[in-house]
């Protein structure tokens, strides 16, 4: 038979603190934000998308600096570099005009620098998409949390309004409104008016999507113990809405915002392509695509560059948004 293992008194009476000290120090807890960040860092695809998003934002912010270093003014013509017969660049691969002075080539017919126009186009696209998303999030989150918490006729009224906005022919309305609103409105005119109008149209008529998501989340949260505790302590509805419920809705709001921005970028590009976006000579990616369509057979490169810019931007935001959703809600995997 095997002899029993003897345990000395000092080992048997070892305290948990001594064991933890022998393992290398204190054991610290992690907050929900730290746990989400740890999950997000493990997702290499999402992190790559986030890096691209950051680079795009920096490119839009420092557009004048980048243009002065690596490009030329967006409205500067270089007709001497254009073939007068074929109306396309004389030099560069595929007659694109790419060279050390023109990193992405030049536009056919007028010779404007494509690199500079892509950089400034990012500023317009991200500005309109971000502000429109902010407007949608503010309206949708506010009405969604009110509908989900109060219920009854308030919920019914807001839910029917959501149905109306979801069924609204947004593209046709945007085209009609952009054609009707001209001149000077609220002190805005020219491209300032166009940008403000696009932000209003895209943001105001897209709030119903996030409103439905926040309403559904609020319907489940309002039955939780912390809400009952706040009510029992005499808390009023505004306090419960914005101090108890809203902090617990930050995660879905952030996730949906990152997924709504690329949709708004595509919508702005579509409006610019249809001729109801920002006016020339201010560059936009959709406007560049519209100019490239009639001459794509002569100079296909002019269509490829803005198309790739839209594709990479939308893909980066979607990849980062999917990774953020998985990090904040592991059950969504």
């Amino acid at each position: 038979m095997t002899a029993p293992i003897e345990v000395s008194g000092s080992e048997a009476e070892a305290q948990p603190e001594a064991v933890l000290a022998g393992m290398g120090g204190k054991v610290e807890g992690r907050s929900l934000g730290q746990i989400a960040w740890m999950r997000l860092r493990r997702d290499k695809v999402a992190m790559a998308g986030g890096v691209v998003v950051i680079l795009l934002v920096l490119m839009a912010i420092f557009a004048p600096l980048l243009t002065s270093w690596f490009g030329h003014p967006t409205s500067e013509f270089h007709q001497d570099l254009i073939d007068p017969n074929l109306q396309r660049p004389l030099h560069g691969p595929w007659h694109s005009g790419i060279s050390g002075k023109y990193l992405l080539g030049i536009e056919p017919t007028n010779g404007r620098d494509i690199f500079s126009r892509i950089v400034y186009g990012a500023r317009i696209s991200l500005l309109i998409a971000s502000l429109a998303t902010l407007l949608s999030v503010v309206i949708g989150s506010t009405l969604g949390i009110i509908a989900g918490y109060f219920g009854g006729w308030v919920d019914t009224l807001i839910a029917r309004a959501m149905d109306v906005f979801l069924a609204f022919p947004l593209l046709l309305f945007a085209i009609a409104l952009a054609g009707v609103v001209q001149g000077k409105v609220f002190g805005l005119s020219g491209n300032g008016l166009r940008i403000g109008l696009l932000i209003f149209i895209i943001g105001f008529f897209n709030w119903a999507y996030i409103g439905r998501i926040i309403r559904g989340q609020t319907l489940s949260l309002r039955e939780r113990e912390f809400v009952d505790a706040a009510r029992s302590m005499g808390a009023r509805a505004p306090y419960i809405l914005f101090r108890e419920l809203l902090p617990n809705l930050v995660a879905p709001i952030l996730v949906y915002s990152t997924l709504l921005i690329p949709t708004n970028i595509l919508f702005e590009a579509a409006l610019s392509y249809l001729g109801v976006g920002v006016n020339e000579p201010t560059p936009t990616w959709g406007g560049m695509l519209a100019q490239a369509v009639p001459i794509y057979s002569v100079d296909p490169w002019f269509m490829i560059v803005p198309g790739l810019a839209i594709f990479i931007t939308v893909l980066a935001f979607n990849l980062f948004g999917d990774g953020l959703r998985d990090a904040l809600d592991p059950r969504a995997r």
Side-chain angles (χ1 to χ4, degrees):
M1 297 178 61
T2 306
I5 299 174
E6 295 183 2
V7 180
S8 63
S10 60
E11 293 177 353
E13 296 174 1
Q15 299 298 319
E17 292 81 1
V19 175
L20 291 176
M23 295 175 63
K26 291 193 207 176
V27 176
E28 296 183 1
R30 293 189 180 97
S31 65
L32 293 177
Q34 291 173 326
I35 295 172
W37 171 242
M38 183 177 63
R39 293 195 189 111
L40 184 61
R41 281 192 306 175
R42 291 200 195 111
D43 192 341
K44 303 303 181 185
V45 175
M47 290 299 292
V51 170
V52 173
V53 168
I54 293 174
L55 292 177
L56 287 168
V57 173
L58 291 176
M59 182 178 72
I61 294 174
F62 297 106
L65 190 61
L66 291 174
T67 301
S68 64
W69 284 354
F70 305 109
H72 301 77
T74 57
S75 300
E76 184 177 283
F77 290 6
H78 302 91
Q79 297 284 359
D80 55 315
L81 301 177
I82 301 298
D83 187 331
N85 298 318
L86 297 177
Q87 292 296 305
R88 69 182 184 185
L90 289 168
H91 309 291
W94 312 293
H95 293 280
S96 60
I98 295 177
S99 65
K101 295 178 63 177
Y102 303 95
L103 300 181
L104 294 179
I106 57 176
E107 291 185 356
T109 70
N110 54 43
R112 291 183 296 189
D113 186 10
I114 294 179
F115 172 79
S116 300
R117 295 183 66 79
I118 287 291
V119 170
Y120 272 93
R123 172 177 281 192
I124 296 295
S125 295
L126 292 178
L127 174 67
I128 294 175
S130 300
L131 293 180
T133 300
L134 179 62
L135 180 60
S136 297
V137 166
V138 170
I139 298 175
S141 299
T142 303
L143 293 180
I145 197 173
I146 290 174
Y149 178 74
F150 288 105
W153 66 271
V154 176
D155 184 25
T156 302
L157 181 63
I158 295 177
R160 297 294 78 77
M162 292 178 185
D163 293 336
V164 171
F165 276 88
L166 289 173
F168 208 82
L170 182 56
L171 183 61
L172 295 178
F173 179 78
I175 295 173
L177 190 60
V180 170
V181 179
Q182 301 288 341
K184 190 172 184 180
V185 180
F186 300 116
L188 298 174
S189 60
N191 280 332
L193 176 61
R194 282 298 181 97
I195 291 174
L197 189 62
L198 290 175
I199 292 171
F200 171 76
I201 292 172
I202 298 173
F204 182 74
F205 290 95
N206 273 334
W207 67 266
Y209 296 97
I210 191 169
R212 278 195 166 181
I213 293 173
I214 299 304
R215 172 182 172 272
Q217 294 285 333
T218 306
L219 287 173
S220 62
L221 287 175
R222 72 177 184 179
E223 306 299 333
R224 302 283 291 274
E225 293 81 0
F226 66 90
V227 176
D228 293 335
R231 286 199 199 100
S232 65
M233 294 177 65
R236 296 181 179 274
Y239 179 89
I240 296 175
L241 288 176
F242 299 105
R243 298 296 297 273
E244 299 289 343
L245 292 175
L246 187 59
N248 290 278
L249 295 170
V250 170
I253 290 173
L254 284 177
V255 170
Y256 189 78
S257 298
T258 58
L259 296 175
L260 185 60
I261 288 176
T263 303
N264 291 342
I265 290 175
L266 286 174
F267 195 81
E268 182 275 331
L271 291 177
S272 297
Y273 178 83
L274 294 172
V276 293
V278 179
N279 296 319
E280 281 281 343
T282 302
T284 61
W285 293 343
M288 294 176 70
L289 280 176
Q291 295 170 6
V293 168
I295 53 175
Y296 76 94
S297 59
V298 176
D299 187 3
W301 180 252
F302 185 35
M303 176 180 285
I304 291 173
V305 177
L308 276 177
I310 296 173
F311 172 76
I312 292 172
T313 303
V314 173
L315 180 63
F317 271 103
N318 282 330
L319 292 177
F320 180 68
D322 289 340
L324 188 63
R325 179 188 59 196
D326 294 337
L328 293 174
D329 185 12
R331 295 173 298 177
R333 288 181 181 272

